[in-house]
Amino acid sequence: MASTPDERTGRRIRSVEIAFTILDAIRANEATSVTELADELGHSKSTIHSHLRTLESQEIIVRQDDGYRLSLQLLDMANDVREQVANYEVIVDEVDKLASETGEIAHFGLEEHGKVAYLYKAMGTQAVETVSRPGGKQPMYSTSLGKAILAFLPADRRREILDHVSFAPKTPKTITDPERFADELDVITDQGYAIDDEENIEGLRCVAAPVKNGNTVLGAVSVSGPVSRSTDEVLHGELAESVQRTANVIELNTKFS
């Protein structure tokens, strides 16, 4: 017997979904008053008002002027999230060292809900600023972090993620063919690191290595730089070695902590 949508995805509570769309709208500052939120989200003013009062009573939002903003309690929650990641302080130290050593942007990311989520970002002296930030997410198929994680995930989890990937192009160089992408993952598994060749952001190339604990993929660490500096020789040479060395240090600290 075929499973129902509820059985596949789990039953969802509509009021909770509305609350989170409200938070997203306030976060984006697209709408902060009851009227603006009702117009933006397509709900009645009474529905928006009741959700806002509930969120305010839980101190998740704060009334400000004629609207609302997110409360600082969310920053406290974010700090708790970091503390729940194993060896967060080691990750910070090693990613900082990687950025200092290479002069470029260094990231640590992990898989959440089929995407790569940035946990930490460090800027080297030559780094080109990007829109990435801790807590932000990007597709796994177009980033070196995501590809490095995917290549070393258990086969069933990898299939589960890829079954829901649309392979929409982020740039003209994004791999959009599932068969070609599968071949790419095989190459990554063999060489131990992944490359993003302007596949997520034009003009930016990245290299990443997975961070593992036995058969568990904890995340990945990456370096990103402009194409003018990230030549094939540099990308596959010193930068690939640097991210693999950083990943190994984090792995050792995880294993023996």
Side-chain angles (χ1 to χ4, degrees), residues 164-239:
H164 293 87
V165 169
S166 64
F167 288 101
K170 296 276 289 182
T171 75
K173 299 189 76 172
T174 305
I175 299 174
T176 57
D177 176 28
E179 290 187 8
R180 184 184 162 203
F181 188 75
D183 292 339
E184 174 89 351
L185 294 182
D186 288 339
V187 171
I188 294 166
T189 303
D190 290 339
Q191 67 189 12
Y193 62 89
I195 298 294
D196 160 11
D197 187 12
E198 297 185 80
E199 296 160 50
N200 199 57
I201 299 174
E202 288 189 76
L204 197 72
R205 302 181 85 189
C206 316
V207 57
V211 176
K212 299 176 288 181
N213 185 12
N215 294 323
T216 301
V217 182
L218 304 176
V221 61
S222 72
V223 168
S224 305
V227 293
S228 58
R229 290 196 295 266
S230 303
T231 62
D232 285 347
E233 183 180 0
V234 170
L235 205 64
H236 290 276
E238 61 188 77
L239 292 185

Side-chain angles (χ1 to χ4, degrees), residues 15-215:
S15 61
V16 175
E17 291 182 329
I18 293 173
F20 274 96
T21 59
I22 290 172
L23 291 175
D24 282 342
I26 294 174
R27 175 187 177 189
N29 205 30
E30 295 172 355
T32 59
S33 71
V34 172
T35 300
E36 288 171 338
L37 288 165
D39 291 343
E40 175 72 22
L41 302 177
H43 297 294
S44 67
K45 290 183 182 180
S46 61
T47 296
I48 296 295
H49 186 260
S50 64
H51 281 78
L52 288 171
R53 290 196 60 182
T54 301
L55 290 167
E56 187 179 14
S57 72
Q58 296 301 309
E59 300 182 359
I60 299 299
I61 60 174
V62 174
R63 199 173 306 199
Q64 179 174 276
D65 300 327
D66 295 328
Y68 295 84
R69 66 166 174 81
L70 302 181
S71 82
L72 295 181
Q73 184 178 172
L74 294 174
L75 283 178
D76 193 38
M77 290 181 177
N79 288 328
D80 289 338
V81 171
R82 293 190 185 103
E83 294 303 318
Q84 291 171 5
V85 175
N87 285 324
Y88 177 72
E89 291 182 1
V90 173
I91 291 169
V92 170
D93 288 345
E94 293 306 318
V95 173
D96 281 344
K97 290 177 186 176
L98 181 62
S100 177
E101 172 190 322
T102 62
E104 305 289 5
I105 303 173
H107 291 99
F108 185 92
L110 43 83
E111 183 263 321
E112 284 190 348
H113 302 291
K115 295 182 179 180
V116 60
Y118 295 109
L119 176 68
Y120 186 69
K121 174 182 181 180
M123 303 284 288
T125 55
Q126 305 178 84
V128 177
E129 183 59 89
T130 65
V131 295
S132 62
R133 62 179 183 177
K137 294 182 179 180
Q138 287 291 326
M140 299 191 78
Y141 65 90
S142 60
T143 57
S144 63
L145 284 170
K147 291 195 284 186
I149 294 170
L150 274 171
F152 291 90
L153 282 176
D156 56 346
R157 177 58 182 152
R158 183 168 61 247
R159 279 194 300 270
E160 184 181 12
I161 292 172
L162 292 178
D163 282 347
H164 293 87
V165 169
S166 64
F167 288 101
K170 296 276 289 182
T171 75
K173 299 189 76 172
T174 305
I175 299 174
T176 57
D177 176 28
E179 290 187 8
R180 184 184 162 203
F181 188 75
D183 292 339
E184 174 89 351
L185 294 182
D186 288 339
V187 171
I188 294 166
T189 303
D190 290 339
Q191 67 189 12
Y193 62 89
I195 298 294
D196 160 11
D197 187 12
E198 297 185 80
E199 296 160 50
N200 199 57
I201 299 174
E202 288 189 76
L204 197 72
R205 302 181 85 189
C206 316
V207 57
V211 176
K212 299 176 288 181
N213 185 12
N215 294 323

